[in-house]
Amino acid sequence: MFALRLISILLGVLLLAAVATAWLVVPRLDPNLFRGDLTAIASARLGRSVSIDGPIHLDLLPEPTLTADKVRLGSDQGMSIVAAELRVTVALGALLAGRIDTRELVLRGAEMRVPWPLDPSALVVVRTPRWLSSVTARVEDGKLFIGGLTFTGIDATLTTGSDSGSYAAAGTAKLSGQPWRFTARLTQPGADGSAGLDVALDGQGAAQGIGGTLSGQIGPDGTLAGRVTGRGPDLSHLLPAPAVSFKAEGRVTIAGGLAAADDLAMEIGGSPARGAVALRVAPAPRLDLALAASRLDLNAWLPVLMRSAAMDLPTGIDLSAEAATFAGGTLRGLRAAVDLSAAGAEVREVRAVLPGDASLRLSGRIAPGEGTGHPPQFEGDIAIAAPALRTTLAWAQQAGVSPVASLPDGVLRTADLTGRVVADPTQMAVASLAGSVDGSPVSGSLSFRAGKRWSFGAGLSVDRLDLDSWLPGETPTLPSLPARFAPFDLNLRLEAKQALFKGITVAPLSLDVGAEGGRLTLRRLDVQVAGIHATAAATVAEGGLVSQARLDIQAPHAAPLASLLPEDLAFLGRQAPALWRTAATIQVLADGPPDKLALKISADIGDLRLESQPVLDLTHHVWTATTTLRHPGAPRLLEALGVPGAASWLGDGSLGLIAQLSGAPGRLDAESFDLAAGGLRATGALALDRTAAVPTLAGHVAAETLPLPMPQPHSADPLPVAALRGFDAAVKLQADHVLAGLMPLLSHAEAAFALHDGTARLDVTKGDLAGGAATGVATLDTAAEPPKLSMAFAIAGAVIAAPVLELPLDLTEGTLEAHVDIAASGHAPAAMLATLAGEATVAVRNGVLSGISLGRMGPSAGDGSLDDQALAAALAGGATPFETLMLAAHVERGVVTLHDAGLAGPAGGIVADGQIDLPGDTMDLHMQFRPAIPDPPTLGLRLTGPLRTPNRVAELAAVAAWRAA
């Protein structure tokens, strides 16, 4: 018992002595005294030279440790190690004895550089160092550089098997920012110089569940051959790929700086695939992935490729699929070859067959967007050939990139285009566009931008444009026009060498139009049609508010304008070609809301000038306008309008028309007008109502002077009866003075004009004719074939003061009473004259008949006989006063037959019969004269031949018998 206590006391004393020694003696030791020993031991046990450039520290707690700063290990086969510090755990007793007995060796902050490819002689280092069987080697916060591949954050423990001599390593490291736990085993080289290698990786953190194994043999030449497996729930942590589960298994080879796993049997997202992976670490690191699948979900792959445009490790991806789903459609024959790097992505090739059998080809590069505040952007070349473009566009609309629903059915049927494209997830622009659309060559640029409001832009040049296909159906109303562009913005510049619109060829056409926020701006429209040059510009805001609208038309020859007239005015082009044989200019200005759109129109066609200021209410389709029409020569204008000989009855003078017009659906009103044309002066109001089945013209016209054309009875030109068809009319007429051939005809005349079913009727209810009264009715049936004219008029108390007919026999004085009832038919005046038929009675009182002197037919003053020379002179000319003249005539086929024709007066009496052939312009009249003498002889005169210059044959045989008696 005593001995036990003694031993305990001795042990305690020894322990206190050791502690006291360690506490008092060891701190007084200089650690640098061990620099040489520590360097020698580290060099011997690490198998290469070691140099310590920094100070050495000694720590006793928690266990004796020597720490050397700035340690460098000598290079061996190109491999080098630099560590921030070398820490060695030592035995205290050995240290007090002045020597170092290592228990553990730690390299902290080590940077290990291994050249790649590995020289075969480097396998010598695989020989297990003697110390590693009893000493643990650890690396803390290390970095490993293998060629261009970098592992960071390495915390690992290296050991060796005591029996096999193989290396074993376990720990954690980071690659490309992903944490991994690894275990590795490297066997000693065998007799053939080969060493076995087994590696297992398991992801940590976000990569949890991802793992892989490598098992193979390292040959004497430094190459590795074996098999590799991989699995995990999320492929996107390893490769630029969607977040889908994966499995892979295949052989692997590592040689010449290249690690390749080819013929991989894979399963991605539950779908089988074949693939290959190649990792090159020298001379520059690079990862290549090839994937071939029967079906691929491109909706998942495309965003990943765009987001992964910038990669720390250069990566090449080659995807191919027999079919790929994207945006609700199926793409066939897909192949995509992309190179990813820190600078972005090079798209070597993308090709696919889109819905509608459209072949697509892409190549270019993707610039990274992360960290720049901008999304990734693709820039490259694009080519598309779409034989069924509408099918392709319908699919694109599902993808959200085409408003195909708003396009007309007849456009964009086929396309074959190439261009330079710049695109990101929200926008795309295509420059240097070339090819054809719907068979017509096209070039230019396109762009669109996605968002709350889509934006489309285009600058296009086309050879031929069918506007009828682009503008089908009804023209949109002005208020609805901005609403059509409200869902998106538009910026369009279009140049067309030729455009077709409703049968009209426009060549060329230039259009610059924009729409933004529901505001439509026509910056410029420039067209040429058959030599006519027109430009237009306008802005239409929300609600149809028009501002700064302008249309300018210049026509060096106005004839093409006639073909552009609306249907209601088309007759001006057909019937008045001479009007358009001159230059023309038209200008239209417009401003205001749709219910009060103010226009200012000015037009010049030769000497004809039109000025009008309409105000349109497009909401209710009504308008009003003050319109002025002027021309310096009214007869010349009528000649151009197809009215020949106007100067002979209208007189010289200018044209001036001022009218207050208004319009409504189916109705046009001239609420008032003031017309001056040559000798014509008239005012009034007219209204054209087209709401019924047959349009109706109604109103009244009051003329100060109303010149009427004198008919040309022998003219073969058709009468313009077609102008009286297609509408009805009821117009009241008043005229202070009615002229016929610029000669006074009626005064204070009143009449009513009516037109119904093609039959025109003029009722003259009042008229002063040379101091007398004239009334009558005339009708023209244009519906008959040929047209039929009938007239019935009466004259009472008209005073004759000048020759009436200007014929060899004429009335120059007297008071006229007449009743005429005639009818005719035909298309021309000559035809009507040839068919003229009817009856006429004429009575003249106290008048004078020129062309014959009945008073000179009496006996001479000498012997009371009748002198032959005097009789011949009396029958050849002179004048015969009379008290009464009565005439009745029958007209048939234009031939006037006289009956009951005669006159009586102080000088005797005259009886006449015969015919006047009006179509032939001849006469055959026989006149008998009875001078005022007792038992007078019967004298005769026959007038034959031309109406104006008839032959006069005197019949004087009765004179000789009278003399003999």
Side-chain angles (χ1 to χ4, degrees), residues 664-756:
R667 187 174 181 86
L668 174 64
D669 291 278
E671 298 173 358
S672 65
F673 67 86
D674 191 333
L675 174 63
L680 173 64
R681 300 291 185 272
T683 61
L686 294 171
L688 178 62
D689 187 353
R690 294 183 294 182
T691 58
V694 178
T696 300
L697 177 68
H700 68 276
V701 177
E704 178 184 343
T705 304
L706 179 61
L708 297 177
M710 289 293 291
Q712 300 293 326
H714 297 285
S715 173
D717 295 332
L719 294 170
V721 296
L724 299 175
R725 296 171 181 162
F727 71 99
D728 292 345
V731 180
K732 292 182 179 181
L733 302 172
Q734 291 179 317
D736 291 341
H737 303 282
V738 180
L739 307 181
L742 299 179
M743 298 299 294
L745 178 62
L746 294 175
S747 60
H748 307 294
E750 295 181 2
F753 174 77
L755 179 63
H756 182 67

Side-chain angles (χ1 to χ4, degrees), residues 579-647:
L579 177 66
W580 311 97
R581 296 171 186 165
T582 184
T585 60
I586 301 173
Q587 183 184 86
V588 181
L589 305 178
D591 277 285
D595 59 348
K596 198 175 182 180
L597 183 62
L599 276 67
K600 184 177 181 180
I601 302 173
S602 60
D604 293 276
I605 303 177
D607 292 332
L608 180 64
R609 179 168 181 79
L610 169 70
E611 294 181 352
S612 184
Q613 295 82 36
V615 177
L616 312 182
D617 185 348
L618 300 179
T619 304
H620 300 92
H621 306 285
V622 298
W623 56 272
T624 60
T626 300
T627 301
T628 302
L629 190 66
R630 301 187 185 280
H631 192 280
R636 182 156 47 93
L637 176 61
L638 290 181
E639 291 276 356
L641 291 173
V643 181

Side-chain angles (χ1 to χ4, degrees), residues 94-326:
L95 185 63
L96 292 176
R99 55 187 176 82
I100 299 175
D101 185 5
T102 60
R103 292 289 181 267
E104 182 184 45
L105 186 146
V106 178
L107 289 175
R108 190 184 66 81
E111 291 187 1
M112 298 167 281
R113 299 184 182 274
V114 179
W116 195 271
L118 193 64
D119 191 282
S121 61
L123 287 180
V124 176
V125 301
V126 177
R127 307 297 178 183
T128 306
R130 296 182 303 275
W131 58 270
L132 197 56
S133 60
S134 59
V135 177
T136 301
R138 288 195 303 111
V139 176
E140 295 179 352
D141 194 23
K143 294 181 181 179
L144 173 62
F145 301 91
I146 303 178
L149 195 62
T150 302
F151 295 85
T152 62
I154 300 175
D155 289 305
T157 300
L158 289 80
T159 61
T160 184
S162 57
D163 297 330
S164 64
S166 60
Y167 285 109
T172 61
K174 288 184 178 181
L175 176 63
S176 297
Q178 293 282 8
W180 299 91
R181 180 171 295 279
F182 66 89
T183 60
R185 185 179 67 86
L186 178 64
T187 67
Q188 288 287 330
D192 59 355
S194 298
L197 176 64
D198 295 297
V199 179
L201 290 174
D202 287 289
Q204 305 295 306
Q208 188 73 35
I210 299 176
T213 63
L214 169 65
S215 178
Q217 291 287 323
I218 301 177
D221 57 356
T223 63
L224 181 146
R227 294 193 66 79
V228 65
T229 65
R231 85 287 178 193
D234 192 345
L235 184 60
S236 64
H237 288 296
L238 295 182
L239 300 170
V244 294
S245 61
F246 71 95
K247 291 181 181 179
E249 182 179 0
R251 66 175 180 267
V252 63
T253 59
I254 301 176
L258 175 65
D262 56 356
D263 196 23
L264 290 174
M266 308 179 70
E267 184 179 291
I268 298 178
S271 298
R274 306 294 298 180
V277 178
L279 174 63
R280 183 178 295 277
V281 295
R286 177 179 173 84
L287 176 66
D288 287 284
L289 169 67
L291 178 64
S294 59
R295 193 168 188 87
L296 199 66
D297 184 5
L298 198 57
N299 294 294
W301 278 91
L302 187 59
V304 171
L305 293 177
M306 293 295 292
R307 289 196 304 268
S308 304
M311 296 284 292
D312 294 335
L313 178 64
T315 303
I317 299 178
D318 194 325
L319 291 177
S320 61
E322 296 179 10
T325 57
F326 180 64

Side-chain angles (χ1 to χ4, degrees), residues 807 894-898 914-919 922-925 947:
L807 293 175
V895 177
V896 181
T897 301
L898 301 180
Q915 293 180 333
I916 300 175
D917 186 353
L918 296 179
T922 62
M923 68 170 60
D924 184 5
L925 295 180
L947 197 61

